[in-house]
Amino acid sequence: LLQLRATPWVNSSPRIMASLSAKGVDTLLGKLELAYRRVEQTGSRVKLESAEINLLKTLEEVRDILTTALISGTREGLKEIFGGSCHRTAKICAILDAARLSAERA
């Protein structure tokens, strides 16, 4: 579990705090991958709008986790969660690169 230093900029909501572990980040990345797949597989315009909004909300959660970890985490905690093979960071980058949103949400 990532140990946080007291910092006024940290989003310390219970949702964020619960996700600041390797397992929590993996769960969130699974949610992100599922949201991305739903955008890619949706055929109807109405369902596409809902899927895109869900993807963007999940990306917002990912952003909050990354920001909180970077601002308030210890070096060891960051290395434990995002270091090593960097597969978690690579997965985020791959989804960001591949995601194509409609003009209303791009």
Side-chain angles (χ1 to χ4, degrees):
L1 186 60
L2 189 62
Q3 297 298 314
L4 301 179
R5 295 187 304 251
T7 306
W9 307 286
V10 174
N11 180 348
S12 59
S13 71
R15 177 181 53 84
I16 298 295
M17 300 308 287
S19 298
L20 279 175
S21 66
K23 184 177 179 181
V25 171
D26 286 341
T27 300
L28 183 57
L29 292 181
K31 182 179 171 183
L32 178 63
E33 194 170 347
L34 179 63
Y36 167 72
R37 277 197 239 126
R38 285 187 179 147
V39 168
E40 293 299 307
Q41 296 171 351
T42 300
S44 115
R45 185 158 175 82
V46 174
K47 288 183 180 181
L48 177 61
E49 180 178 345
S50 175
E52 287 178 340
I53 289 170
N54 185 47
L55 175 63
L56 291 171
K57 286 180 180 180
T58 306
L59 282 168
E60 185 177 298
E61 289 181 53
V62 170
R63 181 210 55 209
D64 290 348
I65 290 289
L66 288 170
T67 303
T68 301
L70 288 171
I71 291 174
S72 62
T74 64
R75 183 172 178 87
E76 294 78 27
L78 286 171
K79 284 170 58 176
E80 175 187 327
I81 295 174
F82 296 106
S85 67
C86 297
H87 68 277
R88 293 179 182 100
T89 305
K91 186 180 277 194
I92 294 167
C93 289
I95 290 173
L96 287 173
D97 287 343
R100 299 290 176 247
L101 302 176
S102 60
E104 294 87 13
R105 280 163 289 289

